[in-house]
Structure formats: C-alpha cells, structure tokens
Amino acid sequence: DTGVSQDPRHKITKRGQNVTFRCDPISEHNRLYWYRQTLGQGPEFLTYFQNEAQLEKSRLLSDRFSAERPKGSFSTLEIQRTEQGDSAMYLCASSLDLLGRGLGQYFGPGTRLTVT
Amino acid sequence: GQQLNQSPQSMFIQEGEDVSMNCTSSSIFNTWLWYKQEPGEGPVLLIALYKAGELTSNGRLTAQFGITRKDSFLNISASIPSDVGIYFCAGQLRRSSGSARQLTFGSGTQLTVLP
C-alpha cells in the first residue's frame, strides 16, 4: 500500500500523559500536513512541513504540541500533558507541490485519541 | 479566519436519485477540493478544481469551481448505497509565490442513501 499511513490508529491515554503519533507520507510527496478533526466538524489545520522545514503553525497548535519531520520523510506529532479537550482524530496528509502546481492533499486513516 | 458554509448538513435520498451539495466562502480560494469520509477513516480525495469556472467529472461525480472563486458545488448522479458518507468541501489559497497553503474545510454533508 503506497498511501499515507498513520500509527497508532487508536490511542487511549490518561490526562496529563504524553502521546506521540507517527505519519508516513506518500514517498514522493514533499509536503506533509497535520490536521485535527472533532466529531461533526471538518478537519482543522495544525501545521505543515515542506521537506524537513516546518513552514506554518496554526493558533490551534498550543505549546504542548510539537511536530517534527527530521529527515523530510516521516513525521511525528507529540502532545505533552494531554487534556480532555485534546480528544480528537489527528489526521496526516501529504502532497506533491512543485513550482506551485499542487495535486491535492491525500489523507491517512487518522489516529483517534481519547483522553480520559 | 476564513469560513466555509457547506449545505445541506444532511441528506436522505432514495437509491438512484441525483444529489447536489454546495459550499460558499466569505473570501476567495484558488483551489477547491471535494473529499468523502467514512466512519473511522480519513477523507478521500474525490475531485480537485484549479480554475474558476472549471467543471470536472469523476465517474458519477461532477464538481464546479464557481466563477467568483467563492463557491463550489458537487453533484452525484444515480446514487448507490456505497455513496453513503460525509462529503467535505475544502478551499485552498496559494501564496503569490505559487506554493500551496493549508486546506480550509466545510463542516460536511452527511449523505444517507435509502434502498
């Protein structure tokens, strides 16, 4: 399967714990995006990378959130000191963007986080 | 920030009927995308539109990029049970350098197809 993959698919954690999610984009894609989706809503942008550089962060991305893409391939999203309000589906997407010609963002299956 | 209004919020239709849903924005986009999402899965890209006025088809799906660049619609013809899901519109604004920015999503249209 050459699509975007995410791990784990589900995570249950207690409030105050740290969690880390991984995303593996489509291999030839140079851009990687993180979104968060709560029930009944569309995905909301968190941050994105062009290769290994983190180019933009949303106001939704509080200090407790950090994302990395160390070698320009896979990415990790870490949430420190989780709160119940962090419960959501965390989606990763990737795209190939060359000279401004994007071909759409392709999403992974998501990681469902439940904070108890 | 930018807001996308997607309507209707939900639709119940008979198998075989055609469906239409639309999305409007308070500001312009230069790319419109339509996605379908099923429970527990990520959104799947259905159609991408890159030019105002563009009309694009993908099988039974047809989408148009509005001339004002503030709206788009999606039509599904001859609906079948597997069309069930949530359909999202998403707009994207490119920087003046040409590089793409993040997507802004509508709140979705829940489609139910009755046999």
Short mmCIF file of all heavy atoms in Angstrom, two decimals, chain A residues 68-94:
data_model
loop_
_atom_site.label_atom_id
_atom_site.label_comp_id
_atom_site.label_asym_id
_atom_site.label_seq_id
_atom_site.Cartn_x
_atom_site.Cartn_y
_atom_site.Cartn_z
N GLU A 68 7.58 17.22 14.27
CA GLU A 68 8.90 17.15 13.64
C GLU A 68 8.82 16.32 12.37
O GLU A 68 7.97 15.43 12.24
CB GLU A 68 9.91 16.48 14.59
CG GLU A 68 10.23 17.26 15.83
CD GLU A 68 11.30 16.57 16.66
OE1 GLU A 68 11.56 15.37 16.43
OE2 GLU A 68 11.85 17.24 17.55
N ARG A 69 9.73 16.61 11.48
CA ARG A 69 9.90 15.79 10.28
C ARG A 69 11.40 15.76 10.01
O ARG A 69 11.88 16.41 9.08
CB ARG A 69 9.12 16.37 9.10
CG ARG A 69 8.98 15.40 7.95
CD ARG A 69 8.26 16.03 6.77
NE ARG A 69 8.08 15.06 5.71
CZ ARG A 69 7.82 15.39 4.45
NH1 ARG A 69 7.68 16.66 4.11
NH2 ARG A 69 7.67 14.45 3.56
N PRO A 70 12.14 15.01 10.81
CA PRO A 70 13.60 15.15 10.87
C PRO A 70 14.34 14.91 9.56
O PRO A 70 15.33 15.57 9.30
CB PRO A 70 14.01 14.14 11.94
CG PRO A 70 12.85 13.22 12.09
CD PRO A 70 11.63 13.99 11.71
N LYS A 71 13.91 13.99 8.77
CA LYS A 71 14.66 13.69 7.54
C LYS A 71 13.82 13.98 6.31
O LYS A 71 14.14 13.51 5.23
CB LYS A 71 15.12 12.24 7.54
CG LYS A 71 16.10 11.94 8.65
CD LYS A 71 16.52 10.47 8.63
CE LYS A 71 17.48 10.19 9.79
NZ LYS A 71 17.86 8.76 9.86
N GLY A 72 12.77 14.73 6.49
CA GLY A 72 11.92 15.05 5.35
C GLY A 72 11.09 13.88 4.87
O GLY A 72 10.53 13.93 3.77
N SER A 73 11.01 12.82 5.70
CA SER A 73 10.17 11.69 5.28
C SER A 73 9.01 11.56 6.26
O SER A 73 8.04 12.30 6.14
CB SER A 73 11.00 10.41 5.21
OG SER A 73 11.63 10.16 6.46
N PHE A 74 9.11 10.68 7.27
CA PHE A 74 8.01 10.54 8.21
C PHE A 74 7.98 11.74 9.15
O PHE A 74 8.94 12.51 9.26
CB PHE A 74 8.15 9.23 9.00
CG PHE A 74 9.25 9.25 10.03
CD1 PHE A 74 8.99 9.64 11.34
CD2 PHE A 74 10.53 8.87 9.68
CE1 PHE A 74 10.01 9.66 12.28
CE2 PHE A 74 11.55 8.89 10.62
CZ PHE A 74 11.30 9.30 11.93
N SER A 75 6.85 11.88 9.82
CA SER A 75 6.69 12.98 10.78
C SER A 75 6.11 12.43 12.09
O SER A 75 5.42 11.41 12.09
CB SER A 75 5.77 14.05 10.23
OG SER A 75 5.49 15.06 11.18
N THR A 76 6.41 13.11 13.18
CA THR A 76 5.80 12.79 14.46
C THR A 76 5.10 14.02 15.02
O THR A 76 5.54 15.15 14.81
CB THR A 76 6.82 12.29 15.49
OG1 THR A 76 7.83 13.29 15.65
CG2 THR A 76 7.45 10.98 15.05
N LEU A 77 3.99 13.78 15.69
CA LEU A 77 3.26 14.82 16.41
C LEU A 77 3.18 14.39 17.86
O LEU A 77 2.68 13.31 18.17
CB LEU A 77 1.84 14.99 15.83
CG LEU A 77 0.94 16.01 16.53
CD1 LEU A 77 1.45 17.43 16.30
CD2 LEU A 77 -0.51 15.88 16.03
N GLU A 78 3.73 15.22 18.74
CA GLU A 78 3.72 14.90 20.16
C GLU A 78 2.81 15.87 20.89
O GLU A 78 2.84 17.09 20.63
CB GLU A 78 5.12 14.97 20.77
CG GLU A 78 5.14 14.62 22.26
CD GLU A 78 6.50 14.76 22.92
OE1 GLU A 78 7.39 15.41 22.33
OE2 GLU A 78 6.65 14.23 24.04
N ILE A 79 2.01 15.35 21.79
CA ILE A 79 1.20 16.18 22.68
C ILE A 79 1.66 15.91 24.10
O ILE A 79 1.63 14.77 24.57
CB ILE A 79 -0.30 15.88 22.56
CG1 ILE A 79 -0.76 15.89 21.11
CG2 ILE A 79 -1.10 16.89 23.38
CD1 ILE A 79 -2.20 15.46 20.90
N GLN A 80 2.10 16.95 24.78
CA GLN A 80 2.54 16.81 26.17
C GLN A 80 1.41 17.19 27.11
O GLN A 80 0.56 18.03 26.79
CB GLN A 80 3.75 17.71 26.41
CG GLN A 80 4.97 17.31 25.60
CD GLN A 80 6.19 18.18 25.90
OE1 GLN A 80 6.04 19.37 26.16
NE2 GLN A 80 7.36 17.58 25.87
N ARG A 81 1.41 16.54 28.27
CA ARG A 81 0.43 16.86 29.33
C ARG A 81 -0.98 16.93 28.73
O ARG A 81 -1.66 17.96 28.79
CB ARG A 81 0.79 18.18 30.01
CG ARG A 81 2.21 18.21 30.55
CD ARG A 81 2.53 19.52 31.25
NE ARG A 81 2.36 20.68 30.38
CZ ARG A 81 3.22 21.07 29.46
NH1 ARG A 81 4.33 20.37 29.25
NH2 ARG A 81 2.99 22.15 28.73
N THR A 82 -1.42 15.83 28.17
CA THR A 82 -2.70 15.80 27.46
C THR A 82 -3.86 16.26 28.35
O THR A 82 -3.86 16.04 29.57
CB THR A 82 -3.02 14.40 26.93
OG1 THR A 82 -2.89 13.45 28.01
CG2 THR A 82 -2.10 14.02 25.80
N GLU A 83 -4.82 16.88 27.70
CA GLU A 83 -6.04 17.36 28.35
C GLU A 83 -7.23 16.70 27.65
O GLU A 83 -7.12 16.26 26.51
CB GLU A 83 -6.15 18.88 28.22
CG GLU A 83 -4.98 19.63 28.83
CD GLU A 83 -5.02 21.12 28.53
OE1 GLU A 83 -5.92 21.56 27.79
OE2 GLU A 83 -4.13 21.84 29.03
N GLN A 84 -8.37 16.69 28.33
CA GLN A 84 -9.54 16.04 27.73
C GLN A 84 -9.94 16.71 26.41
O GLN A 84 -10.42 16.05 25.49
CB GLN A 84 -10.70 16.03 28.72
CG GLN A 84 -10.49 15.00 29.83
CD GLN A 84 -11.68 14.86 30.73
OE1 GLN A 84 -12.29 15.85 31.10
NE2 GLN A 84 -12.00 13.63 31.10
N GLY A 85 -9.70 17.98 26.32
CA GLY A 85 -10.02 18.71 25.09
C GLY A 85 -9.16 18.32 23.90
O GLY A 85 -9.44 18.71 22.77
N ASP A 86 -8.10 17.56 24.15
CA ASP A 86 -7.25 17.09 23.05
C ASP A 86 -7.85 15.88 22.36
O ASP A 86 -7.36 15.46 21.31
CB ASP A 86 -5.86 16.71 23.58
CG ASP A 86 -5.10 17.88 24.16
OD1 ASP A 86 -5.35 19.03 23.73
OD2 ASP A 86 -4.26 17.66 25.07
N SER A 87 -8.89 15.30 22.93
CA SER A 87 -9.54 14.13 22.33
C SER A 87 -10.08 14.51 20.96
O SER A 87 -10.88 15.45 20.83
CB SER A 87 -10.69 13.62 23.21
OG SER A 87 -10.20 13.16 24.45
N ALA A 88 -9.63 13.80 19.94
CA ALA A 88 -9.98 14.13 18.56
C ALA A 88 -9.36 13.08 17.65
O ALA A 88 -8.60 12.21 18.09
CB ALA A 88 -9.46 15.52 18.17
N MET A 89 -9.65 13.21 16.35
CA MET A 89 -8.96 12.43 15.34
C MET A 89 -7.84 13.31 14.80
O MET A 89 -8.09 14.46 14.41
CB MET A 89 -9.92 12.06 14.21
CG MET A 89 -9.25 11.37 13.04
SD MET A 89 -9.01 9.62 13.34
CE MET A 89 -10.53 8.99 12.60
N TYR A 90 -6.63 12.79 14.79
CA TYR A 90 -5.48 13.53 14.26
C TYR A 90 -5.15 12.94 12.89
O TYR A 90 -4.82 11.76 12.77
CB TYR A 90 -4.30 13.48 15.22
CG TYR A 90 -4.59 14.31 16.45
CD1 TYR A 90 -5.31 13.77 17.51
CD2 TYR A 90 -4.21 15.65 16.51
CE1 TYR A 90 -5.63 14.55 18.62
CE2 TYR A 90 -4.52 16.43 17.61
CZ TYR A 90 -5.24 15.88 18.66
OH TYR A 90 -5.57 16.65 19.75
N LEU A 91 -5.24 13.79 11.89
CA LEU A 91 -5.08 13.36 10.51
C LEU A 91 -3.79 13.91 9.93
O LEU A 91 -3.43 15.07 10.18
CB LEU A 91 -6.26 13.87 9.66
CG LEU A 91 -7.62 13.25 9.96
CD1 LEU A 91 -8.73 14.11 9.38
CD2 LEU A 91 -7.70 11.85 9.38
N CYS A 92 -3.14 13.09 9.16
CA CYS A 92 -1.95 13.50 8.44
C CYS A 92 -2.28 13.46 6.95
O CYS A 92 -3.04 12.60 6.49
CB CYS A 92 -0.81 12.53 8.76
SG CYS A 92 0.70 12.81 7.84
N ALA A 93 -1.75 14.40 6.21
CA ALA A 93 -1.94 14.43 4.76
C ALA A 93 -0.62 14.76 4.10
O ALA A 93 0.26 15.38 4.70
CB ALA A 93 -3.00 15.46 4.37
N SER A 94 -0.46 14.34 2.85
CA SER A 94 0.74 14.71 2.12
C SER A 94 0.36 15.14 0.72
O SER A 94 -0.72 14.81 0.21
CB SER A 94 1.76 13.57 2.09
OG SER A 94 1.33 12.49 1.28
#
